[in-house]
């Protein structure tokens, strides 16, 4: 029974990220909630962006539409403007 | 004579605690208030340069709750040492003046620390909720 619940949870969580693109951006793990809030506002305003998330290890996640293309130079500028160091970005199709 | 020695020792201890308190509260300013001020003023690159040059700032921000708790505790101890009941200066004129002068400086340093701590606390914990509330 536990296994079935686990399987269902896994399936359900995968389905949340089922379509579109997932961008993972690495920054320094600078913990500034105020700066993140500002960054989140700017990123979620971009057309095609569905979700934005961040973790304490300096990773930022952007879930976007298939048609969305994140410009690396723009991301770098945005991060630096908000006090974060840019350390790279990966794009994954979901 | 013993009273004088005890009072001088107590003043020295109070001064050391106050200076240490100032040192710890400066940490709250460095970790939390300065980056937000810089980012707000559009000087995000300065924050990046700061955190790259002094990586301990990143660590400070990660453990900011402990930084605030410890410096807050130091403020409380320092405040108690300074304003505790029964605190008095020696009756000897020269020693009394030195004691009063030290107490005056202790108070200045202490209140500077309180202002620094309050600024850091506001920046770290109150500014974001206020901003969210204003954005609504």
């Amino acid at each position: 029974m536990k296994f079935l619940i686990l399987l269902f949870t896994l399936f359900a969580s995968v389905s949340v990220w089922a379509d579109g693109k997932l961008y993972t951006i690495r920054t320094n793990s600078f913990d500034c909630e105020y700066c993140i809030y500002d960054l989140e506002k700017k990123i979620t305003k971009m057309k095609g962006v569905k979700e934005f998330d961040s973790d304490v290890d300096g990773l930022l996640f952007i879930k976007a539409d298939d048609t969305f293309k994140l410009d690396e130079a723009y991301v770098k500028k945005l991060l630096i403007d908000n006090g974060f160091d840019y350390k790279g970005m990966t794009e994954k199709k979901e | 004579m013993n009273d004088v020695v005890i009072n001088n020792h107590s003043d020295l201890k109070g001064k050391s605690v106050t200076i240490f308190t100032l040192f710890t509260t400066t940490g709250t300013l460095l970790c939390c208030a300065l980056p937000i001020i810089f980012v707000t003023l559009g000087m995000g690159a300065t924050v990046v340069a700061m955190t790259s040059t002094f990586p301990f700032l990143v660590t400070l921000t990660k453990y900011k709750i402990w930084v605030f708790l410890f410096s807050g505790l130091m403020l409380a101890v320092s405040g108690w040492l300074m304003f505790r009941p029964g605190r008095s200066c020696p009756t000897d004129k020269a020693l009394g003046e030195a004691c009063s002068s030290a107490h005056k400086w202790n108070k200045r340093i202490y209140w500077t620390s309180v202002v620094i701590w309050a600024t850091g606390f506001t920046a770290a914990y109150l500014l974001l909720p206020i901003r969210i509330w204003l954005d609504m």
Side-chain angles (χ1 to χ4, degrees), chain A residues 28-35 37-38 41 56-57 79-85, chain B residues 35-36 39-40 44-45 47-48 51-52 58 61-62 64 124 127-128 131-132 135:
Chain A
N28 52 344
S29 49
F30 181 51
D31 184 15
C32 174
E33 285 146 18
Y34 187 85
C35 316
Y37 175 75
D38 222 29
K41 270 183 75 176
V56 285
D57 294 321
L79 284 173
I80 291 173
D81 283 349
N82 284 283
F84 296 97
D85 204 359
Chain B
I36 291 174
V39 167
T40 309
V47 179
V48 175
T51 50
S52 304
V58 175
T61 58
K62 258 187 181 172
K64 66 181 172 197
L127 215 56
L128 184 59
R131 172 105 192 258
I132 292 170
D135 283 349

Side-chain angles (χ1 to χ4, degrees), chain B residues 28-29 32-33 65 68 115-127:
Chain B
T28 66
L29 195 70
C32 310
I65 181 83
F68 276 99
V115 170
I116 290 173
W117 193 87
T119 309
F121 185 83
T122 308
Y125 296 106
L126 302 179
L127 215 56

Side-chain angles (χ1 to χ4, degrees), chain B residues 63-136:
Chain B
Y63 300 104
K64 66 181 172 197
I65 181 83
W66 295 108
V67 175
F68 276 99
L69 280 176
F70 183 69
S71 53
L73 184 77
M74 287 310 299
L75 272 179
V77 171
S78 184
W80 184 81
L81 281 172
M82 239 181 330
F83 304 112
R84 70 187 185 277
R87 189 199 163 279
S88 61
C89 279
T91 46
D92 180 84
K93 197 170 182 279
L95 285 173
E97 272 174 18
C99 170
S100 296
S101 168
H103 188 62
K104 198 163 71 184
W105 276 103
N106 265 355
K107 274 205 286 192
R108 283 176 187 163
I109 297 169
Y110 176 76
W111 288 114
T112 307
S113 305
V114 170
V115 170
I116 290 173
W117 193 87
T119 309
F121 185 83
T122 308
Y125 296 106
L126 302 179
L127 215 56
L128 184 59
I130 291 170
R131 172 105 192 258
I132 292 170
W133 180 67
L134 287 174
D135 283 349
M136 280 196 303

Side-chain angles (χ1 to χ4, degrees), chain A:
Chain A
M1 187 61 188
K2 275 182 187 169
F3 178 75
L4 281 176
I5 292 170
L6 184 70
L7 206 65
F8 176 76
T9 313
L10 273 174
F11 179 75
S13 61
V14 165
S15 67
V16 170
W17 301 87
D19 58 336
K21 285 175 183 172
L22 176 68
Y23 288 95
T24 307
I25 303 162
R26 278 183 296 120
T27 72
N28 52 344
S29 49
F30 181 51
D31 184 15
C32 174
E33 285 146 18
Y34 187 85
C35 316
I36 280 280
Y37 175 75
D38 222 29
L39 190 68
E40 184 176 357
K41 270 183 75 176
K42 284 172 190 162
I43 286 176
T44 49
K45 264 186 192 166
M46 292 161 81
K47 203 178 169 194
V49 172
K50 289 179 181 171
E51 276 179 49
F52 175 87
D53 202 4
S54 61
D55 76 359
V56 285
D57 294 321
L59 290 177
L60 307 175
F61 304 99
I62 300 171
K63 195 198 167 192
D65 289 338
D66 269 331
T67 51
F68 180 78
K69 181 79 188 152
L70 194 58
D71 181 35
E72 195 173 359
Y74 179 68
V75 170
K76 195 174 174 179
K77 187 191 174 302
L78 213 56
L79 284 173
I80 291 173
D81 283 349
N82 284 283
F84 296 97
D85 204 359
Y86 176 76
K87 290 189 170 175
M89 181 175 89
T90 57
E91 181 189 323
K92 212 162 82 177
K93 213 162 166 57
E94 292 293 309

